[in-house]
Amino acid sequence: GAVVSQHPSWVICKSGTSVKIECRSLDFQATTMFWYRQFPKQSLMLMATSNEGSKATYEQGVEKDKFLINHASLTLSTLTVTSAHPEDSSFYICSAADVGRGSPLHFGNGTRLTVT
Amino acid sequence: AQSVTQLGSHVSVSEGALVLLRCNYSSSVPPYLFWYVQYPNQGLQLLLKYTTGATLVKGINGFEAEFKKSETSFHLTKPSAHMSDAAEYFCAVSFSGGGADGLTFGKGTHLIIQP
């Protein structure tokens, strides 16, 4: 079945540094990928929709300059948390749809970001 | 606008007992409905989905859900709980069957299985 790979699975960084998270669709092409954020014991909140070859669409309240999204190919989207602060610590999950097969979203295993 | 309400942030059942996790939705157009399971520090795994057709949907691991339009509900059930079912469960709604417009999630229900 379709698989979405997310890397790294966890990362610890110092306040003020930037962190890049990768999301890859392994056996299908994903023109659209989604980035979610999940706080402890809470639901997933959609941050942005990543569109291959065009600008990402951000949800209301999500800082575009803070969370940079790049979807340069049909199998890769990246989320860069710039100038990270402790309040950015969270669990970030990506997902992608294999639109060609009409299958539902497949999720990566998430990235646990801790900013110290 | 669409939204999802999951009743009960925690549900505790005994091993072998019936599992019932409640989900109600609000959508201005016919919705597509999903149930996902999440184990600690992992992503989400699709249990089942309703798009069109039969309103009783069977999923993996013995779970099933019934779409009831009149009640705007999509409750998840399993006849007999196993210890391995302990996890976080999310109900989600989308405007497209593939979720290509992104999913709106409920707040989740933590399922606890008592031995």
Side-chain angles (χ1 to χ4, degrees), chain B residues 34-97:
Chain B
F34 307 80
W35 274 101
Y36 284 87
V37 60
Q38 183 182 34
Y39 297 99
N41 292 311
Q42 293 189 26
L44 277 70
Q45 181 182 10
L46 179 68
L47 283 176
L48 49 81
K49 65 172 181 175
Y50 168 78
T51 53
T52 58
T55 56
L56 181 62
V57 180
K58 294 186 183 299
I60 62 171
N61 301 340
F63 285 94
E64 62 181 36
E66 186 172 9
F67 171 59
K68 292 187 176 181
K69 185 178 179 181
S70 61
E71 299 178 6
T72 62
S73 68
F74 191 57
H75 301 331
L76 180 71
T77 60
K78 181 174 180 177
S80 177
H82 293 165
M83 295 300 291
S84 60
D85 294 328
E88 193 80 17
Y89 291 80
F90 292 97
C91 182
V93 63
S94 167
F95 286 125
S96 71

Side-chain angles (χ1 to χ4, degrees), chain A residues 34 36 38 43 104-105 108-109 112, chain B residues 38 41 43 46 100 102-103 105-106:
Chain A
F34 303 92
Y36 293 85
Q38 185 180 31
S43 188
L105 286 175
N109 280 332
R112 172 73 61 193
Chain B
Q38 183 182 34
N41 292 311
L46 179 68
L103 293 169
F105 286 89

